[in-house]
Each structure stands twice: as C-alpha cells, then as structure tokens.
C-alpha cells in the first residue's frame, strides 16, 4: 500500500514571515495526522524558518530546485549538501523550471542522482504540453521523460522517488485533466514504463501525485483513482483554508477522516 502524499508548491510566493505563519496554521490543523504524508515546498529563503516552525511535526519541508554538484562556483544555485540541511524533499524538473530555466531530462536525471546520493527525497515532475496532449502524444512523451529521469538509477533507488504527473496545460490555469485520463496516463506512461525498466513491484511501490489546478472541490475525485497517490498543489497551497480543505477532502474520500 502506498501512503498518500499531498505536497504544496509555494513557487515564488511567501516571505519568511508569511511562510512561517502558514506553516504554523498547517501545523495547528494537521499535527498528529496519520495515514497521509504532507509537505510544503518553500522558497529557499524560507526553508530554515519554516523547517523550525514544523520541527517535530508530521509536515515535511521541501525545496523547489537544486543543483547536482556538492559545491563550487555556481552562483545562485543550492547544492544537495545545503538542501539536505534544511529539507527532506526537493521538487525536480517542475515544468516552470523546464520552460523558463532550461531544465532538461538530462539535468533532471543528474539532480535526481544527487538527491538520492544525499538522502533527499526527489519529487520528480513530468507532464505534457497542450499541443502534445491534443496531438495524442502524451503517453510517448511522458514515457520518454520517465526513461530520461531514471537513466542509470537502480530499482532500489527508484523506489525512493515521488513522481508528480502534471499536465503543463493544467498548471495554474484552472483546467484539469479528467481523473480518468490522469489515471490512464499514469498507468500507461509511468507504471507500465517503470515495470519495463525495473519490475512490477518497483513500479507499484513508487508514489505518483497528480498536479494541475488541484482545489478543494476536485481533490476527492483524483485521490480515489487507483493510480493517483496524492497531489502536488500550487496556487491552492498558498492559503491554509484551501490547502487544509484539500487535505481534509482527500482524507474523507479515502475514508481516513
Ligand atoms: C504546481 O505548481 O505544481 C501546480 C500544480 O500548480 P497549480 O496547482 O497552481 O496548478
């Protein structure tokens, strides 16, 4: 059984004080929760303070990006050693990083290996554009992203990753894939490919979140899908009211409330 996992991606929002306030209200609402993992992926500037606000709670902290080298002349980057001090998770290959900052399957793979080498849990994002979706290219495209991300990674290491299937056209747009379509794509482009690359047991062990305009109103219909193990939530993770309602609705839909 895969433990459901809902993570917030705060993107480039929240000062340190705002992030701590949100973290404290999430802690008050969800400390002691069992049967579901929660995390907030904050801007780098807020990692330490939010980590302190959530210390000893069941809400993990994640970074939103990381470089693969341990140290060096890489101005503006964060190394795995730095991230590891402050975060349990790191988002890798988010579509905004791929679109605006030149991330490729190859750089995602290098970061993925670096995260594993340092015991950081990578949340690796994959997903197709609207054009690819309309052109019927979703499954081969996402399958190729999986091949690229997992190149040179053993089955044992692969089981430590969290994947986030995020159709690019659904991120921040208010549009969502239908739960049935997301479920089918996760099965055909992710689990079937992981079964080929590794084995069925490994493919079944890896958690796959859905991401793309998840809100309190639609969380339940995604989380009940057999292949969907939670959500990576952007915009709706910025307020306790909406993120809290997403978590509560997911718990209720899973009969854990
Ligand atoms: C995201 O940032 O990963 C995301 C899915 O954003 P949103 O929920 O705002 O679509």
């Amino acid at each position: 059984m895969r433990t459901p996992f809902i993570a917030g991606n705060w993107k480039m929002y929240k000062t340190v004080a705002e992030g701590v306030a949100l973290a404290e209200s999430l802690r008050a609402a969800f400390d002691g929760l069992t049967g579901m993992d929660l995390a907030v992926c904050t801007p780098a500037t807020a990692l330490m303070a939010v980590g302190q606000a959530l210390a000893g709670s069941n809400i993990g902290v994640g970074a939103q990006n990381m470089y693969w080298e341990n140290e060096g002349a890489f101005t503006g980057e964060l190394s795995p050693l730095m991230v590891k001090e402050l975060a349990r998770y790191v988002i890798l290959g988010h579509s905004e990083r791929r679109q605006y900052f030149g991330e490729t399957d190859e750089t995602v793979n290098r970061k993925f290996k670096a995260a594993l080498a340092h015991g950081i849990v990578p949340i690796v994002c994959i997903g197709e554009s609207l054009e690819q979706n309309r052109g019927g290219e979703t499954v081969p495209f996402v399958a190729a992203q999986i091949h690229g991300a997992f190149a040179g990674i053993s089955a044992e290491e692969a089981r430590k990753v969290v994947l986030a299937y995020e159709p690019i056209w659904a991120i921040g747009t208010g549009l969502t894939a239908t739960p049935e379509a997301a479920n089918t794509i996760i099965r055909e482009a992710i689990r079937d490919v992981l079964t080929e690359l590794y084995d069925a047991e490994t493919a079944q062990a890896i958690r796959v979140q859905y991401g793309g305009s998840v809100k309190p109103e639609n969380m339940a219909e995604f989380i009940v899908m057999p292949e969907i193990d939670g959500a990576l939530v952007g915009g709706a993770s910025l307020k306790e009211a909406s993120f809290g309602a997403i978590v509560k609705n997911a718990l209720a839909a899973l009969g854990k409330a």
Side-chain angles (χ1 to χ4, degrees):
M1 280 302 285
R2 301 181 293 263
T3 305
F5 179 25
I6 299 182
N9 171 20
W10 291 359
K11 310 194 194 221
M12 198 175 73
Y13 295 97
K14 304 289 178 196
T15 61
V16 173
E18 289 166 348
V20 168
L22 177 53
E24 282 171 351
S25 58
L26 291 173
R27 181 176 191 146
F30 295 111
D31 205 11
L33 179 73
T34 53
M36 179 177 286
D37 291 343
L38 297 179
V40 290
C41 299
T42 82
T45 47
L47 282 173
M48 183 182 274
V50 169
Q52 285 164 351
L54 295 174
S57 80
N58 59 333
I59 306 174
V61 175
Q64 298 175 10
N65 180 36
M66 183 187 86
Y67 198 55
W68 57 79
E69 296 287 351
N70 285 350
E71 60 181 12
F74 301 106
T75 301
E77 292 293 317
L78 294 180
S79 88
L81 294 175
M82 297 164 185
V83 170
K84 182 183 167 177
E85 285 186 309
L86 302 174
R88 188 185 313 163
Y89 303 98
V90 63
I91 298 175
L92 297 179
H94 191 281
S95 65
E96 288 152 15
R97 302 258 359 135
R98 294 179 191 255
Q99 188 179 349
Y100 304 125
F101 302 101
E103 294 252 348
T104 63
D105 290 339
E106 199 209 323
T107 59
V108 170
N109 176 251
R110 296 181 82 157
K111 293 176 179 195
F112 189 168
K113 287 177 177 154
L116 291 170
H118 291 280
I120 305 163
V121 178
I123 302 174
V124 175
C125 302
I126 60 261
E128 81 288 0
S129 67
L130 186 58
E131 209 175 30
Q132 287 159 336
N133 185 280
R134 289 200 175 139
E137 295 160 35
T138 299
V139 170
F141 181 77
V142 174
Q145 287 184 315
I146 294 289
H147 277 277
F150 283 85
I153 286 169
S154 71
E156 196 192 328
E157 288 173 326
R159 289 176 194 210
K160 297 178 183 153
V161 71
V162 176
L163 293 172
Y165 168 59
E166 302 204 306
I168 299 170
W169 49 273
I171 296 180
T173 57
L175 302 172
T176 60
T178 65
E180 293 75 17
N183 192 69
T184 303
I185 290 157
I186 292 170
R187 191 177 57 244
E188 293 180 0
I190 300 178
R191 291 208 204 278
D192 288 357
V193 174
L194 290 170
T195 304
E196 276 166 38
L197 280 175
Y198 302 106
D199 51 75
E201 213 184 309
T202 302
Q204 290 304 320
I206 294 173
R207 291 187 290 184
V208 185
Q209 301 171 317
Y210 168 77
S213 297
V214 169
K215 307 185 262 288
E217 304 79 58
N218 61 22
M219 182 70 263
E221 60 196 30
F222 284 103
I223 198 104
V224 295
M225 288 288 138
E227 306 294 359
I228 297 179
D229 305 312
L232 182 57
V233 185
S237 73
L238 297 173
K239 293 203 169 104
E240 195 277 323
S242 45
F243 193 64
I246 285 172
V247 174
K248 283 182 189 146
N249 292 352
L251 288 168
L254 294 172
K256 293 174 187 261

